[in-house]
Structure formats: C-alpha cells, structure tokens
Amino acid sequence: MSCLGNVLWFVFGGLILGLSWAVAGILWCVTIVGIPVGVQCFKFASLAFSPFGKEVRYGGGVGSLLLNILWLAISGVVLAVEAAAVGVVFCITIIGIPFGKQCFKIAKLALMPFGASVVSG
C-alpha cells in the first residue's frame, strides 16, 4: 500500500509540494543564520515527496523547544493550518482519508519540526 500510496501522492501534488519545500530550504540555507530553518525545510520536503511508510519521531531537549517556539511565531502555525485544511478536504471522501492522514502528519511536523526525525516505519 505504501508504494502505491506514494506514487498516487507524488502524482497528485506531492511533487509540487516537495519541490516547493526544497526550494525554500535552499533559499534559507543561502544565509548562514537560516541554515537550521533550511534543514527543517528539507525534512518537510523528504516527507512531502513520499509520506506513506514514514513516521515522525519527536524528541529533543530545551534547545529544540526554544527553536520550536520561535518557529511557531514565524511560520509554523500558518503551515500547520494549511496542511490541516488540505487534510480536511481530503477526508471529505472515503478514498481521500489516507491522504488526509498524511496531511495531518505533515501538519503536526509543521508545528514542531526541531528535534523531530523522519524515519522509515
């Protein structure tokens, strides 16, 4: 299921979503100060290209907490609301529920990207 789900996801929006996150990561990494944010954008890009079969593990310490608070203030809430809204739209139909669940996974990561890691599950 994860292979078929990833192919369908990639065709119906994952390519554009992943490329946009990769470009944002490159732009953030141009500045030295923005490298930590750029790394988080690359984490989003890897998950946006193929979210099925991957899980997000959360961890980290005080540094991650402080960076997550700063991230929320800058852009985390907007990105999470966007991903959650798309997830709700996907969940309107029964066929779209697996895609909606992946959007909710991305929305949760958009709230707390620092200290999280994307692993194959």
Side-chain angles (χ1 to χ4, degrees), residues 72-94:
L72 281 173
I74 295 172
S75 62
V77 173
V78 175
L79 296 172
V81 168
E82 177 187 18
V86 172
V88 168
V89 170
F90 270 127
C91 287
I92 290 174
T93 64
I94 292 175

Side-chain angles (χ1 to χ4, degrees), residues 2-44:
S2 68
C3 182
L4 178 62
N6 282 329
V7 169
L8 290 173
W9 176 271
F10 191 79
V11 170
F12 292 113
L15 174 64
I16 294 169
L17 187 61
L19 285 177
S20 65
W21 277 109
V23 168
I26 290 169
L27 292 175
W28 272 105
C29 286
V30 168
T31 65
I32 300 298
V33 177
I35 289 176
V37 178
V39 170
Q40 300 313 311
C41 290
F42 292 132
K43 187 185 302 183
F44 277 109

